[in-house]
Amino acid sequence: MALSFMRKESEMTPEAMVFSDNFAAMDALAEDLDGEIGAERWVEVTNAEADEVFEEIKKEQTFVILTLGSDETTEVEACAELIRKANNAELLVLLVIGDVSPRTMHNVMRAGAVEFAPYPDPPGALQEAINRLRVARTQGGGILGPAKTKSHRSGKIIGVYGVAGGVGASTFAVNLAWEIASIVRSEGRRVALFDFNFQYGSIATFLDVPRREAVYELVSEAGSLDQTALLQALSSYRDRLHVLTAPRDALPLDIVSPSDVQNILTLARDAFDYVVIDMPQALMGWSESVYTAADVFYALMETDMRSAQNMFRFVRSLKAEDLPLGKLQFVLNRAPGLTDLSGKTRVKRVAESLGIEFAHLLPDGGKQVVSCCDQGAPLAEVARNNPLRREIAKVAQRAITLVNTEATAEAT
Ligand SMILES: Nc1ncnc2c1ncn2[C@@H]1O[C@H](COP(=O)(O)OP(=O)(O)OP(=O)(O)O)[C@@H](O)[C@H]1O
Ligand SMILES: [Mg+2]
């Protein structure tokens, strides 16, 4: 049997083959695909045609869209089987999922990692997932890729640490991660933000993302964690930033060991290109694991005496452990403005007394900042022109250059 898309080949190669057996929202999806891909450029096929389709597809030009809209065992198994077959054929796969349970998600993820788009909500998720596939196709690679290619990413770890409570570390981490995600989005890079404050981490609130049940398993069984379990614990902010929130219940910070943290970071490096980590203020046994793994480590403070004393002790403890200081970037939050001359003198004095140089001075962004945190959105989304947002966007640009230059320097 000649397939419809083969007949069309002389006219135009399809960009996507869409498996839609039993997908209730297919009419709406068809309309969206018409808009996103073009009505002539995608072809609807049935599961029964899978073998033939996978054999004929030119993987450089066409990707596969699978759909799953229910927890029905036969459908989940059929979907998992299609994922395995597509992975074997090394095809790029987008899984469009309706309202399914976490257990179903887990089952299909076990079949092999693919790019996901929840459907129909949130708006834009489908479009962004298709764009990522397009980028991946031009780079000849997968998104998360099937298991056998998963280690092709070698993510950069970006640590964020506030030396005293409330100096703005989480605000900085959230906005830095979002700015990086926005900058590298067109290159199909993946960015994650991890909240390592297992006790009172606030990232879930700052981005208004759900705290997944699986986070508890992740931290309590971190030593035996695999990539599926890691990905399952992540929430997503606007489908662009992958977020590991703190668990729902406060946990002791020493619930993870240094080797657990190393394991999490190794998996994270495989799955993402940039991983921003918001550290708790307390220094734990595993803090050193993050510091050692980090490509760059931002230490935030304010100009007050409490911050200065803590920064002094922090740097001294790094020196005592013989840890390299080169990756450390000192950041002063709520720095005095240009016209505040006495403030500027104070900054100079603080830097001198600590024997450090500030890499970045972040301005006070006023009430807008608190209101963004409360609204659960990065500054770029609701207060784009806020001075703090503009400065963090610059830090993000510098961070990308910095970690990639470091990598090049190491390689040569
Ligand atoms: N530059 C700034 N301008 C205005 N408000 C800011 C600025 N930086 C942080 N804030 C506000 O200060 C408060 C504390 O910030 P944040 O929670 O990020 O600090 P933290 O160091 O992570 O605190 P914690 O010790 O609780 O983890 C938040 O309400 C945030 O909106
Ligand atoms: Mg914090």
Side-chain angles (χ1 to χ4, degrees), residues 15 26-42 119 126-127 130-131 134:
E15 184 171 23
M26 190 54 209
D27 287 348
L29 180 64
E31 222 169 89
D32 285 342
L33 291 175
D34 283 352
E36 188 52 38
I37 294 179
E40 299 297 312
R41 302 226 48 209
W42 66 273
Y119 191 82
L126 176 72
Q127 184 187 13
I130 290 174
N131 283 339
R134 286 176 174 147

Side-chain angles (χ1 to χ4, degrees), residues 283-305:
L283 289 175
M284 304 304 299
W286 50 264
S287 306
E288 190 177 325
S289 304
V290 179
Y291 189 83
T292 307
D295 296 272
V296 59
F297 197 92
Y298 291 96
L300 270 82
M301 63 178 287
E302 292 183 29
T303 49
D304 63 318
M305 191 52 102

